[in-house]
């Protein structure tokens, strides 16, 4: 070989990989379409896709170490949460990744003015037509139809990137994500007209044998704010609200009516009359007062009713993934959830506790995407915010069928039968909430089944090591062998009442149930606990799980009856201590307020 040719080859090999925008393509990610989705037609070439590119976070391990230190009640740094700027510095991508991706985008005619970047520059967002995205990702998009719901989405089952880009890109969506992000409330048949008698009418009293607390017998029929205060030992507590805050997320055009909230307050929380919430629009989200939703009403009425007068915020994020196949004007088909994360992470001040009553089967969310979203949750926890999620309403099964008849097939192309965990409840950086029923004693909810089990994506976090193996040791040898991942993150962490909540929608009273009720309930009580700490000059609780698993469990009432059916099985049984049905049980505010003052004081 001539010297000049050898020199040229040497220079090419030594050049940065990002200088080769036309390097050969290689598959980055591929999936089998989840059950129920069928290919409908070719995606219109002009259809607009809001493409999101997640760049690697090389220092995320350092952020995770900080998160656990500031969340460990026995660590000297407990409560020393990080600032927005400190978190952004730790999740920023390497400059080489930024250069590589920017050059690839420029190669396809995309300039800086076409790009939106997250504050840490770890996410890139850009709106592009399908035909260009197909060229960039060497793929083909199709319109897919869900046979049960009739929803349409624009997705591909595989995409590729130039080989040199693989190390510079974690994830690109929407590509392979077939998630049907939805509220975790029981099916609409569970929403029924409230009884003619007022929920506050007394039917005598009952004593919870586990706590010794007296509760109105009417709470076995209808759950009100007063019932929750009685059941969870918070009667008579009034927060100061100084420096505190609480938030609720709203999606999929679920709107929260101010008039309905006022009517709810008149009926159940008279001290909150003439108060409301701060409304925050995310990505153009609205709050249509003429179209109140059951989910939004449930969330804001109970979370804000329990926590009044702590300043409340309702976030409405625009975006509804289904695509109308015969619409002449193509619309966005991205999931709205990441829009909220982009927004909240860019804010200097964020609520100290936030609950979300939405999610989906973990297997419908590509693992790469789930892990990046989970990493974003870690950022919020490091900044001092408690994130609370519903665990789901379909036991150990999927959300597409009756728990008693679910087949629970995997999406790995093998059609294996396995339990189907729920995301985002399986993320180890959030607190997952299951559901209970009855008041004397409480049991795992029976009208539907509290979501719970073990993640197939996330390994068991260290804070669960002293606890979850104890539950697994109680299972008879071979129980559900091969149906779940015993090394996965177990969920839920805790639970709360989740059925027959009386809410006001469109001026009328209804009863509603689901872990969608349990999550805002726990949110309300965490907000009260934050108030206890803030009133003593202590920081907010932040990421809850290390505290709960190390000390806080002593402030929860163990649930000892029930199970969570699904996949043609009875699911897991409730046991003494933590279990993947009700977690550590339900809150005892009187005990918890003492425990949170013993920590980090």
């Amino acid at each position: 070989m001539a010297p000049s040719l050898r020199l040229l080859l040497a220079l090419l090999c030594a050049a940065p990989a990002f200088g080769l925008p036309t390097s050969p393509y290689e598959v980055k990610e591929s999936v089998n379409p989840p059950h129920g989705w069928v290919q409908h037609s070719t995606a219109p070439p002009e259809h607009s896709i809001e493409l999101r590119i997640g760049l690697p976070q090389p220092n995320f391990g350092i952020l995770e170490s900080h998160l656990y230190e500031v969340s460990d009640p026995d660590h000297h740094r407990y409560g020393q949460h990080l600032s927005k700027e400190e978190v952004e510095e730790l999740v920023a991508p390497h400059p080489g990744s930024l250069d590589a991706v920017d050059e690839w985008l420029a190669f396809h005619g995309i300039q800086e003015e076409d790009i939106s970047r997250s504050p840490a520059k770890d996410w890139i967002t850009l709106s592009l037509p399908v035909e260009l995205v197909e060229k960039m990702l060497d793929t083909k998009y199709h319109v897919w139809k869900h046979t049960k719901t009739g929803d349409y989405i624009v997705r591909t089952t595989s995409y590729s990137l130039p080989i040199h880009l693989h190390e510079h890109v974690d994830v690109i969506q929407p590509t392979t994500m077939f998630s049907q992000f939805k509220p975790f409330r029981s099916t609409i048949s569970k929403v029924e007209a409230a009884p003619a008698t007022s929920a506050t009418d007394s039917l005598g009293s009952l004593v919870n044998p586990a706590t010794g607390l007296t509760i109105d017998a009417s709470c076995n029929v209808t759950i009100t704010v007063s019932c929750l205060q009685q059941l969870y030992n918070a009667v008579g507590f009034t927060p100061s609200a100084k420096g505190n805050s609480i938030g609720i997320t709203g999606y999929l055009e679920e709107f929260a009516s101010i008039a309905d909230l006022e009517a709810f307050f008149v009926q159940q929380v008279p001290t909150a009359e003439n108060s409301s919430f701060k409304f925050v629009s995310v990505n153009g989200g609205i709050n249509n007062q003429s179209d109140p939703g059951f989910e939004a009403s449930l969330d804001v009425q109970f979370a804000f009713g329990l926590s009044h007068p702590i300043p409340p915020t309702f976030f409405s994020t625009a975006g509804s993934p289904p695509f109308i196949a015969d619409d002449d004007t193509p619309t966005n088909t991205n999931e709205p959830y990441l829009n909220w994360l982009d927004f909240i992470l860019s804010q200097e001040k964020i609520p100290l506790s936030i609950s979300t009553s939405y999610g989906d089967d973990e297997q419908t969310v590509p693992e790469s995407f789930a892990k990046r979203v989970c990493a974003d949750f870690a950022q919020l926890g490091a900044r001092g915010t408690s994130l609370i999620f519903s665990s789901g309403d379909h036991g150990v099964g999927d959300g597409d069928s009756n728990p008693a008849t679910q087949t629970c097939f995997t999406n790995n192309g093998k059609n294996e039968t396995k339990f189907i965990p729920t995301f985002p409840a399986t993320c180890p950086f959030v607190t997952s909430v299951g559901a209970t029923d009855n008041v004397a004693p409480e049991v795992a909810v029976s009208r539907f089944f509290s979501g719970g089990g073990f993640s197939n994506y996330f390994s068991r976090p260290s804070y669960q090591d002293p606890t979850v193996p104890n539950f697994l040791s109680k299972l008879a040898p071979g129980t559900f062998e091969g149906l779940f991942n015993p090394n996965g993150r177990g969920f839920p962490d805790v639970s709360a009442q989740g059925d027959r909540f009386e809410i006001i929608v469109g001026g009328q009273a209804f009863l509603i149930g689901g872990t969608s009720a349990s999550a805002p309930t726990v949110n309300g009580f965490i907000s009260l606990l934050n108030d206890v700490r803030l009133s003593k000059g202590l920081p907010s609780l932040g990421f809850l799980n290390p505290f709960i698993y190390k000390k806080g469990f002593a402030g929860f009432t163990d649930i000892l009856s029930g199970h969570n059916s699904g996949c043609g099985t009875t699911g897991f049984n409730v046991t003494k201590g933590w279990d993947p049905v009700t977690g550590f049980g339900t809150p005892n505010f009187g005990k918890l307020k003492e425990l949170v003052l013993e920590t980090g004081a």
Side-chain angles (χ1 to χ4, degrees), residues 4 36 75 119 186 200 212 248 296 305 321 347 372 407 469 513 571 578 593 600:
S4 58
H75 199 280
S186 54
T200 58
I248 290 289
Q347 304 302 299
R372 276 305 299 261
T407 50
W578 181 89
K593 70 179 181 179

Side-chain angles (χ1 to χ4, degrees), residues 195-423:
T197 55
S198 169
T200 58
D201 288 348
S202 177
L203 299 176
S205 60
L206 299 169
V207 176
N208 185 324
T211 62
L213 295 169
T214 299
I215 306 104
D216 289 342
S218 61
C219 299
N220 253 340
V221 179
T222 304
I223 292 294
T224 64
V225 169
S226 176
C227 288
L228 296 173
Q229 291 169 334
Q230 295 171 54
L231 185 60
Y232 298 144
N233 199 14
V235 174
F237 179 81
T238 301
S240 68
K242 188 174 182 180
N244 205 352
S245 52
I246 182 172
I248 290 289
T249 61
Y251 300 97
L252 307 180
E253 299 180 346
E254 278 279 344
F255 307 127
S257 165
I258 295 171
D260 285 343
L261 180 63
E262 173 65 13
F264 178 85
F265 283 161
V266 168
Q267 180 189 28
Q268 296 196 29
V269 193
T271 57
E273 287 183 39
N274 300 315
S275 65
S276 187
F277 52 81
K278 177 183 177 182
F279 168 68
V280 175
S281 169
V282 179
N283 196 39
I286 62 173
N287 193 28
N288 186 347
Q289 293 301 286
S290 65
D291 187 23
F294 282 99
E295 183 60 55
S297 299
L298 170 63
D299 288 345
V300 302
Q301 289 172 20
F302 272 88
F304 301 162
L306 282 166
S307 60
H308 179 78
I310 294 169
T313 299
F314 175 65
F315 299 93
S316 178
T317 302
S320 184
F323 163 78
I324 308 303
D326 58 358
D327 196 333
D328 292 333
T329 306
T331 56
N332 233 323
T333 61
N334 203 5
E335 295 291 343
Y337 195 75
L338 196 52
N339 288 327
W340 180 79
L341 274 170
D342 283 348
F343 172 84
I344 202 70
L345 286 169
S346 71
Q347 304 302 299
E348 288 291 341
K349 287 189 175 183
I350 51 182
L352 297 180
S353 64
I354 302 173
S355 63
T356 299
S357 297
Y358 300 75
D360 201 2
D361 301 340
E362 185 183 70
Q363 68 172 359
T364 67
V365 181
E367 185 172 355
S368 60
F369 183 79
K371 289 186 173 180
R372 276 305 299 261
V373 168
C374 189
D376 284 351
F377 294 146
Q379 295 181 51
L380 290 169
R383 290 176 58 180
T385 290
S386 302
L387 294 174
I388 299 156
F389 282 82
S390 301
S391 70
D393 295 349
H394 298 275
V396 293
D398 61 54
D400 282 338
S401 55
N402 186 314
T405 59
Q406 289 163 334
T407 50
C408 301
F409 289 130
T410 61
N411 290 337
N412 58 8
K414 300 178 181 179
N415 281 344
E416 298 171 311
T417 297
K418 287 184 181 290
F419 292 164
I420 308 296
T422 302
F423 183 79

